[in-house]
Amino acid sequence: GEQSDILGDHLARIGESIAFPEISEAPKRFFCRNLRDISLALTMGHSVVGNDVDPNGRPLVIITGANRGGKSTFLRSVGLAQMMLQLGMFVTADAYVSSRHTGLFTHYKREEDRSMRSGKFDEELVRMSAIADHLHRGGMVLFNESFAATHEREGSEIARQIVTALLENDITVFFVTHMYEFAHSFLDSDAALFLRADRGEDGTRNFRLR
């Protein structure tokens, strides 16, 4: 529509290219080439760094690595691109292929505030329960540093059980985490692809995941 044309014109002015995504009829399909975060590009006013990712049918992508290395930015780029695909819009990528999902949900860590009736970890579990109430087979869930508000062993085990249950019910999962035990529990799984944000010896980051 007109709003989409206005957005496309603005992206062209700041040098951010677009492409029309492909909806795959195959389940659990995901592929992106030079996928960028459209919200970051609009905020910065210029083209931003993108990523190439092909899980090859694996429904779980675990993203680890350096702080401020592009993990959360990539996660946001996936969520926005998937939403735009399902709205029939273009995406900020050279190529984006994905199955159509029955729902798109996000579970991000939150800072504690006065509106919380209990601790951060309890609040995370309550939000996860609310998401589960609305999930159907074929959905997608994006986790960002979830279940880390308790000690690592407990958080890792709860995250492992939740993700395992989601995979058993045909849910596609992207999970940004610093919890080693959680990530390690899927190391030998055929269902998981691991991405890592690296940092150079001098502390520089190129914001690409490998």
Side-chain angles (χ1 to χ4, degrees):
E2 183 179 350
Q3 295 298 322
S4 180
D5 291 340
I6 292 172
L7 177 59
D9 290 343
H10 183 68
L11 290 167
R13 285 196 298 273
I14 64 175
E16 188 63 89
S17 60
I18 61 173
F20 279 91
E22 176 185 338
I23 298 176
S24 174
E25 296 303 320
K28 305 175 186 177
R29 181 73 175 108
F30 180 88
F31 167 82
C32 67
R33 186 170 64 247
N34 197 21
L35 174 64
R36 285 99 59 198
D37 176 5
I38 185 172
S39 63
L40 181 61
L42 292 170
T43 300
M44 300 294 290
H46 58 73
S47 183
V48 295
V49 173
N51 280 284
D52 304 338
V53 176
D54 185 0
N56 196 25
R58 286 170 283 193
L60 172 61
V61 178
I62 295 177
I63 306 132
T64 63
N67 288 328
R68 297 185 298 278
K71 302 186 300 298
S72 297
T73 297
F74 171 70
L75 194 69
R76 189 168 58 236
S77 74
V78 171
L80 289 169
Q82 186 66 32
M83 181 181 67
M84 295 172 79
L85 174 147
Q86 300 203 190
L87 289 171
M89 295 178 65
F90 54 76
V91 298
T92 44
D94 293 349
Y96 186 84
V97 182
S98 179
S99 306
R100 187 187 296 276
H101 291 286
T102 56
L104 174 61
F105 300 87
T106 61
H107 189 283
Y108 278 46
K109 69 175 181 179
R110 291 180 180 172
E111 297 304 321
E112 199 158 6
D113 60 48
R114 293 180 180 178
S115 67
M116 288 186 181
R117 297 182 180 180
S118 56
K120 286 202 296 184
F121 188 58
D122 288 343
E123 186 272 339
E124 286 188 292
L125 294 177
V126 168
R127 277 193 291 125
M128 187 63 237
S129 179
I131 289 172
D133 288 342
H134 293 87
L135 267 173
H136 299 281
R137 289 183 178 273
M140 174 185 277
V141 184
L142 311 181
F143 293 94
N144 192 13
E145 301 288 358
S146 299
F147 315 117
T150 183
H151 57 79
E152 179 166 336
R153 178 162 295 179
E154 181 181 38
S156 293
E157 179 58 19
I158 289 174
R160 184 193 67 78
Q161 291 186 27
I162 288 173
V163 169
T164 298
L166 293 176
L167 297 179
E168 289 174 350
N169 286 278
D170 296 327
I171 307 297
T172 297
V173 176
F174 286 74
F175 206 124
V176 170
T177 186
H178 284 297
M179 295 189 296
Y180 172 80
E181 289 189 29
F182 164 69
H184 190 265
S185 69
F186 289 97
L187 194 59
D188 296 324
S189 172
D190 293 335
L193 171 72
F194 285 83
L195 301 176
R196 181 172 180 83
D198 282 333
R199 182 168 50 200
E201 293 182 1
D202 60 354
T204 59
R205 296 174 291 271
N206 62 16
F207 305 111
R208 291 188 186 276
L209 306 178
R210 65 175 181 85

